[in-house]
Amino acid sequence: MTDFNQLKQDLNSVSEFLVTLGDEKRQSIIIKLLSESNCDGLQVGELTEATGLSRPAVSHHLKVLKEAKIVDYHTNGTRNYYYLTHHTEEILKLKNFIDELLVVMEESK
C-alpha cells in the first residue's frame, strides 16, 4: 500500500531542486557545462557568450546552481572556473521519488 504522506514529504524534499533545474537559463548553463570536455571549467565570460545572458545574470544563476550543489568552482589566480560537481545526493533523491511515483502509477492502472 502506498504511503502518500511519505510521497508528499519526498516531493517536498526535492521541490527546491526541481525549481533550480526548471529555469531555462540555468538549464542552458548546465548544458554548456555538460558539453564542455574541458575538465578545468568555464569562466563567467564563456558562459555569457554561450547563454546570451549578462555577466550579473550568469553569476546569479551560478550562485543558485552552487547552492543546489550542481555547480562548483575553483580559483586560478584571480579567475574562477565553474564546473559540474560530482555531488549526486539531490539527483538521487529526485530519481528515487520518480521511481516511487512510477510504481504508484503502475499500481493504479
Side-chain angles (χ1 to χ4, degrees):
M1 184 159 155
T2 302
D3 182 352
F4 290 103
N5 286 326
Q6 184 61 48
L7 270 178
K8 183 179 177 182
Q9 288 175 356
D10 292 346
L11 179 57
N12 188 48
S13 75
V14 297
S15 64
E16 192 171 320
F17 189 70
L18 285 170
V19 169
T20 299
L21 291 178
D23 185 277
E24 288 182 36
K25 293 165 180 65
R26 289 192 280 272
Q27 291 170 10
S28 65
I29 291 171
I30 291 168
I31 295 300
K32 179 60 180 171
L33 291 172
L34 279 170
S35 69
E36 194 58 41
S37 61
N38 180 358
C39 293
D40 293 334
L42 295 174
Q43 292 182 278
V44 170
E46 294 170 296
L47 291 168
T48 60
E49 289 175 19
T51 61
L53 299 171
S54 68
R55 291 180 72 85
V58 168
S59 293
H60 166 74
H61 290 295
L62 285 169
K63 179 182 177 209
V64 173
L65 291 167
K66 188 171 180 328
E67 289 170 356
K69 298 179 182 168
I70 298 170
V71 168
D72 206 349
Y73 72 96
H74 67 88
T75 302
N76 186 354
T78 59
R79 298 175 183 211
N80 292 331
Y81 294 86
Y82 294 87
Y83 58 92
L84 296 174
T85 67
H86 297 295
H87 300 285
T88 59
E89 296 87 12
E90 292 299 314
I91 294 169
L92 291 174
K93 281 181 10 184
L94 178 57
K95 181 189 176 303
N96 290 338
F97 170 76
I98 291 171
D99 288 345
E100 184 60 30
L101 182 63
L102 290 171
V103 167
V104 171
M105 292 174 76
E106 256 324 289
E107 289 173 352
S108 68
K109 281 186 176 179

